[in-house]
Amino acid sequence: MLTFVGLGLYDERSITVEGREAIRSADRVFAEFYTSKLAGASVQSLESYHDTDIEVRDRPGVESDPGPILDAAEDGECVFLTAGDTMISTTHVDLRLRAAERGIETHVVHGTTAEAAAASLTGLQNYRFGKATTLPFPYAHGADGVPGSVHDTIADNRERGLHTLVYLDIKVGTGPSGIDPDHEEYMTADYAAELLSEELDCVGCVVARAGSPDPVVAADRLDSLADRSFGDPLHLLVIPGDLHVIEHDALSTLAGAPEESLPDPV
Amino acid sequence: MLTFVGLGLYDERSITVEGREAIRSADRVFAEFYTSKLAGASVQSLESYHDTDIEVRDRPGVESDPGPILDAAEDGECVFLTAGDTMISTTHVDLRLRAAERGIETHVVHGTTAEAAAASLTGLQNYRFGKATTLPFPYAHGADGVPGSVHDTIADNRERGLHTLVYLDIKVGTGPSGIDPDHEEYMTADYAAELLSEELDCVGCVVARAGSPDPVVAADRLDSLADRSFGDPLHLLVIPGDLHVIEHDALSTLAGAPEESLPDPV
């Protein structure tokens, strides 16, 4: 049995009770932290909290060489951990499909996600978000500035009055010069706001450390957000579309948006 | 202090460890189950699991008369519980804003959500979903069939190659003849597929009991899904857009989609 368990958003206590019980009854526990990580916990603190050994795999250790994980799942109860929800990343759907091909039973224990937290903390309504996008580091997409596809997604959503969640690039294990096990880099929301503000003149809402005891939620014009700093990772950026009254009030009251930065509610 | 705690998707164990601790240290615990409910837990089983009293409020008791909740939050540690994540529903953003107006500190402990689970269990990629929509009971929107806005949202997403999550109507406390405290009705995915198939001829993917130990994930043409049944609530329906290879394989392998029901991967 291979059970995918989402660790949730921030630290050891972001996991569900069901997830914790799955770890407790596992024979072996694997994890990866290259697609995301828990800002408030280390592998050591997770091992201590769950009283277990965690075998951390790098990208090749999941994608090119999943054999050891699948062997363990064939021999007993095996848990695979990631931050957030395990299936948000394509690569883990692939692992689940490989398990299914080998006749291994799989189960998913869901985790809290950045996407839900972004809607939840900003007060912007979940069902009024369009397609999400990811803003890569310029060196990662091989050109200066913002890829056209990111601006296209935001523009397309805004035309329809929809909000856009912009995931900010995470580079763990690969840096500007290629594979580098020590590389760990998280795009900050002020840097993202600066990149986007070159072509986009509107309000943005930063969400920093969603799921932590002290998340920061801050809305302002993008060029103003570019001049601020929002502390430790992880950061997200939301580009709002049309605002309903309560969304307008939420950005003002909960995110401190200056009145003049916000469009009139519709 | 008013702490909003999401109970997550299914039963007592769907809550995060952080959420459980917040309940333990609360002076008073309120909840509402009219926007959604836990299919695998009752108020009594939650009270017993958390060893606390839970004061369940109906819609007017949250929206028209939130005073008692805010008073309790002013006097001590107050927790407000809902299924999923508490802030997904506009009405609770409103409660949070009212608390802020009274100078009451608020905090959100996130819960797992149907939206993340729908992507996670189907293998359809989170960032390839467009705007979500809700399919109401015909009596609830006052006409036969499917509101034009639902078809518009699906069509608009499909034109862009995006998936659509269709939430299915929940009626608790109001029925066909108005307010009725005993009314509890959950739209099933087969009924939803039948409604949608009158105008839409494509594949759909049902997700039933997300977050439970035995979720059902089933993809087929909408008119075929209409002839099946998927057991106890809650149900969701996803209308896929374009499929990448791994999404195609996931619908086939994990959701049993007949090959001829699926579009070629792009």
Side-chain angles (χ1 to χ4, degrees):
Chain A
M1 166 81 110
L2 178 54
T3 304
F4 292 88
V5 177
L7 291 166
L9 283 165
Y10 183 69
D11 67 10
E12 300 85 355
R13 297 155 60 242
S14 306
I15 194 171
T16 62
V17 173
E18 184 189 3
R20 189 161 77 163
E21 292 174 0
I23 295 175
R24 287 215 174 137
S25 56
D27 300 309
R28 284 177 73 182
V29 179
F30 294 89
E32 70 80 6
F33 296 105
Y34 60 83
T35 57
S36 188
K37 73 154 189 178
L38 296 184
S42 64
V43 175
Q44 292 70 31
S45 69
L46 285 167
E47 289 185 321
S48 155
Y49 184 77
H50 292 292
D51 191 22
T52 191
D53 290 326
I54 298 176
E55 304 174 49
V56 178
R57 310 283 288 177
D58 58 10
R59 189 180 289 273
V62 175
E63 298 176 17
S64 323
D65 183 27
I69 299 173
L70 297 175
D71 291 344
E74 214 155 43
D75 293 343
E77 295 292 324
C78 177
V79 158
F80 184 81
L81 300 171
T82 69
D85 185 286
T86 43
M87 285 294 143
I88 294 301
S89 202
T90 323
T91 178
H92 307 135
V93 178
D94 188 56
L95 183 59
R96 193 175 178 205
L97 291 173
R98 289 182 196 226
E101 267 168 32
R102 280 178 54 169
I104 297 165
E105 204 184 332
T106 60
H107 183 62
V108 180
V109 178
H110 299 292
T112 52
T113 62
E115 186 176 26
S120 186
L121 291 172
T122 56
L124 296 173
Q125 290 306 292
N126 187 48
Y127 70 94
R128 294 174 25 81
F129 277 75
K131 177 177 163 34
T133 187
T134 299
L135 184 56
F137 286 113
Y139 72 77
H141 75 100
D144 279 345
V146 175
S149 62
V150 173
H151 276 303
D152 289 348
T153 296
I154 294 170
D156 199 39
N157 285 333
R158 275 162 57 90
E159 263 169 42
R160 297 150 72 210
L162 302 176
H163 315 313
T164 308
L165 172 59
V166 183
Y167 292 100
L168 306 184
D169 206 0
I170 293 175
K171 286 286 167 222
V172 176
T174 28
S177 49
I179 291 179
D180 171 1
D182 296 329
H183 190 81
E184 201 172 311
E185 190 178 14
Y186 305 91
M187 189 186 287
T188 62
D190 47 307
Y191 178 76
E194 189 181 343
L195 283 179
L196 289 173
S197 70
E198 287 169 22
E199 287 189 42
L200 199 58
D201 178 23
C202 66
V203 66
C205 187
V206 172
V207 179
R209 296 173 301 286
S212 78
D214 60 346
V216 167
V217 181
D220 205 338
R221 302 201 67 81
L222 287 173
D223 52 9
S224 302
L225 293 174
D227 291 333
R228 295 166 62 177
S229 61
F230 304 99
D232 292 336
L234 304 173
H235 296 182
L236 297 165
L237 186 62
V238 178
I239 307 297
D242 293 342
L243 297 177
H244 284 175
V245 172
I246 205 161
E247 295 180 313
H248 181 278
D249 291 355
L251 288 187
S252 169
T253 303
L254 304 174
E259 186 58 36
E260 67 277 10
S261 71
L262 295 176
D264 291 334
V266 295
Chain B
M1 164 80 110
L2 179 54
T3 304
F4 293 88
V5 177
L7 290 166
L9 284 166
Y10 183 69
D11 68 10
E12 300 86 355
R13 299 154 58 242
S14 306
I15 196 172
T16 62
V17 172
E18 184 188 3
R20 189 160 78 162
E21 290 173 1
I23 294 175
R24 289 216 172 135
S25 57
D27 299 309
R28 283 178 74 182
V29 179
F30 294 89
E32 70 79 7
F33 296 104
Y34 60 83
T35 57
S36 188
K37 72 155 189 176
L38 296 184
S42 64
V43 175
Q44 292 70 31
S45 69
L46 285 167
E47 289 186 322
S48 155
Y49 184 77
H50 292 293
D51 191 21
T52 191
D53 290 325
I54 298 176
E55 304 175 48
V56 179
R57 310 283 287 175
D58 59 10
R59 189 181 289 274
V62 175
E63 298 176 17
S64 322
D65 182 28
I69 300 172
L70 298 175
D71 292 345
E74 214 154 44
D75 293 344
E77 297 291 325
C78 177
V79 158
F80 185 81
L81 300 172
T82 70
D85 187 284
T86 45
M87 285 295 143
I88 293 302
S89 202
T90 323
T91 179
H92 307 134
V93 178
D94 187 56
L95 182 60
R96 192 175 180 204
L97 290 173
R98 289 181 196 227
E101 268 167 30
R102 282 178 53 169
I104 297 166
E105 204 184 331
T106 61
H107 183 62
V108 181
V109 178
H110 299 291
T112 51
T113 62
E115 186 177 24
S120 186
L121 290 173
T122 56
L124 295 173
Q125 289 307 291
N126 187 48
Y127 69 95
R128 292 172 29 80
F129 277 74
K131 176 175 164 34
T133 187
T134 298
L135 183 58
F137 285 113
Y139 73 77
H141 75 101
D144 280 344
V146 176
S149 62
V150 173
H151 277 303
D152 290 348
T153 297
I154 294 171
D156 202 34
N157 285 333
R158 276 162 56 91
E159 264 169 41
R160 291 169 169 75
L162 302 176
H163 315 313
T164 308
L165 172 58
V166 184
Y167 291 100
L168 306 184
D169 206 0
I170 293 174
K171 286 287 168 224
V172 175
T174 27
S177 48
I179 291 179
D180 172 1
D182 296 329
H183 190 81
E184 200 171 310
E185 189 178 15
Y186 304 91
M187 190 184 288
T188 61
D190 46 309
Y191 179 75
E194 189 181 342
L195 283 178
L196 289 172
S197 69
E198 287 169 22
E199 286 190 43
L200 199 59
D201 177 23
C202 66
V203 67
C205 187
V206 172
V207 179
R209 296 175 300 289
S212 78
D214 60 347
V216 166
V217 181
D220 204 337
R221 300 199 70 79
L222 287 173
D223 51 9
S224 303
L225 292 174
D227 291 333
R228 294 166 63 176
S229 63
F230 303 100
D232 292 336
L234 304 173
H235 297 181
L236 298 164
L237 186 62
V238 178
I239 307 296
D242 294 342
L243 297 176
H244 285 174
V245 172
I246 204 159
E247 296 180 311
H248 181 279
D249 291 354
L251 289 187
S252 169
T253 303
L254 305 174
E259 186 58 34
E260 67 277 10
S261 71
L262 295 175
D264 291 335
V266 295

